[in-house]
Amino acid sequence: MAEIVAGIACSHVPAIGVAMDRGMTGTAYWDPLFRGYAPAREWLAKLAPDVAIVVYNDHANAFSLEVIPTFLIGVADTFPIADEGFGPRPVPVVRGHSRLAWHLAESLILDEFDMTIANHMPVDHGLTVPLSVTCGQPAAWPFQVIPLCVNVVQYPPPTGARCYKLGQAIKRAVAAYEEDLRVVVYGTGGMSHQLQGERAGLINRQFDTAFLDGLTQDPLALTRITHTEYIREAGSEGIEMVMWHIMRGALNERATEVYRHYHVPASNTAAALMILDNRSAA
Ligand code: DHB
Ligand code: FE
């Protein structure tokens, strides 16, 4: 039987990936951020999962604003690397897990979550940066990846409550998969940040800390945060945090926090990395 062994929440700031790609992680600006990543990498390497379901948002790289899927699952064997801004990163191609991905697609759709299915899709910093943050710079990624995209770039994004319920459906789907696979679920994006307009550069440490605390202690309360509150308290791009609810919904209620790192600034963003251990937490 497949089992979800951990949940990981991780910001996906593109400049973090570029700092790694260009060998800048030891500079005065980046060192405090990257030093906080080391223990998490060790923990994940020891855990050695087989597959990661990575919940992230595409930033108009795979999909232009002509087609905007609310929830999408990638079922391909491989996913090429793409990006805007700094350009495609020099990281290994992302290997999919087609059989589990199709099982998830079938299970979620029959469970009344109307997923879009992607047979071919490039993946951008939303997915590759969290892999780099948690795995370093290997010649090949240490596990297979199922990309799960969420629309948070064009109003209206899904609600936090809906995202949490999708996570619960993922939990049911993984539990019903017959092969012995150890699965981790990533929720990416956040924390507080706003990239444009009068409030560009907004950071809200108090909101972020309460969100991190609530993720372990009372995730259902967090699902009631409205879109307006995210934007007011965490900036326009803070809405990316709804994706963390998918990760949390896929875990057991009593999953335990085993690691937290929060650092400001990383580019324009409050960067966080949190690991929740889901083993024996039923
Ligand atoms: C930044 C953060 C993001 O989440 C993103 O998608 C792009 C840029 C930033 O902080 O620069
Ligand atoms: Fe983003």
Side-chain angles (χ1 to χ4, degrees):
M1 288 265 284
E3 182 196 3
I4 297 179
V5 288
I8 298 176
C10 185
S11 304
H12 63 217
V13 180
I16 293 174
V18 173
M20 292 181 69
D21 301 340
R22 300 187 184 172
M24 292 158 22
T25 59
T27 61
Y29 181 84
W30 290 112
D31 185 60
L33 175 70
F34 281 94
R35 257 191 287 131
Y37 288 157
R41 281 184 197 162
E42 269 172 44
W43 193 89
L44 187 64
K46 273 204 202 108
L47 185 69
D50 302 299
V51 185
I53 298 169
V54 180
V55 179
Y56 77 108
N57 67 290
D58 177 68
H59 300 73
N61 288 301
F63 317 109
S64 70
L65 293 182
E66 289 174 10
V67 178
I68 303 164
T70 298
F71 293 124
L72 171 146
I73 184 161
V75 297
D77 289 323
T78 57
F79 299 92
I81 309 298
D83 232 322
E84 83 282 10
F86 296 99
R89 299 183 54 219
V91 292
V93 71
V94 171
R95 292 174 299 126
H97 194 300
S98 187
R99 232 166 77 77
L100 177 58
W102 273 110
H103 165 81
L104 285 172
E106 180 183 23
S107 178
L108 294 176
I109 290 167
L110 298 184
D111 210 357
E112 303 181 349
F113 287 86
D114 307 317
M115 309 298 291
T116 298
I117 294 169
N119 286 303
H120 174 81
M121 177 178 67
V123 289
D124 73 10
H125 67 268
L127 183 139
T128 64
V129 167
L131 288 186
S132 298
V133 162
T134 51
C135 304
Q137 293 170 293
W141 298 118
F143 40 72
Q144 288 159 281
V145 173
I146 298 174
L148 198 153
C149 289
V150 180
N151 166 41
V152 292
V153 298
Q154 168 73 64
Y155 186 84
T159 63
R162 184 66 176 156
C163 287
Y164 190 82
K165 286 179 189 154
L166 175 58
Q168 291 177 309
I170 291 171
K171 175 172 152 183
R172 290 191 287 274
V174 170
Y177 191 69
E178 71 288 0
E179 195 186 335
D180 282 338
L181 285 178
R182 302 169 77 246
V183 179
V184 293
V185 182
Y186 283 68
T188 80
M191 297 196 86
S192 52
H193 64 304
Q194 170 143 347
L195 301 179
Q196 77 269 282
E198 273 175 32
R199 297 199 312 160
L202 176 143
I203 301 288
N204 186 344
R205 183 183 284 267
Q206 211 180 350
F207 177 89
D208 291 343
T209 305
F211 195 91
L212 287 167
D213 291 344
L215 206 61
T216 314
Q217 292 158 16
D218 194 0
L220 269 181
L222 290 190
T223 67
R224 292 190 279 273
I225 300 172
T226 63
H227 290 144
T228 313
E229 279 177 273
Y230 278 111
I231 292 167
R232 188 179 64 229
E233 300 298 329
S236 50
E237 277 68 42
I239 190 67
E240 288 181 343
M241 277 187 267
V242 293
M243 298 186 288
W244 294 24
H245 296 312
I246 298 178
M247 175 277 285
R248 187 62 183 92
L251 306 183
N252 298 313
E253 253 170 61
R254 295 206 306 277
T256 48
E257 178 179 335
V258 291
Y259 191 69
R260 180 193 296 206
H261 177 47
Y262 180 85
H263 179 76
V264 179
S267 185
N268 305 290
T269 299
L273 173 60
M274 186 180 224
I275 299 180
L276 298 173
D277 192 339
N278 200 45
R279 293 169 295 178
S280 337

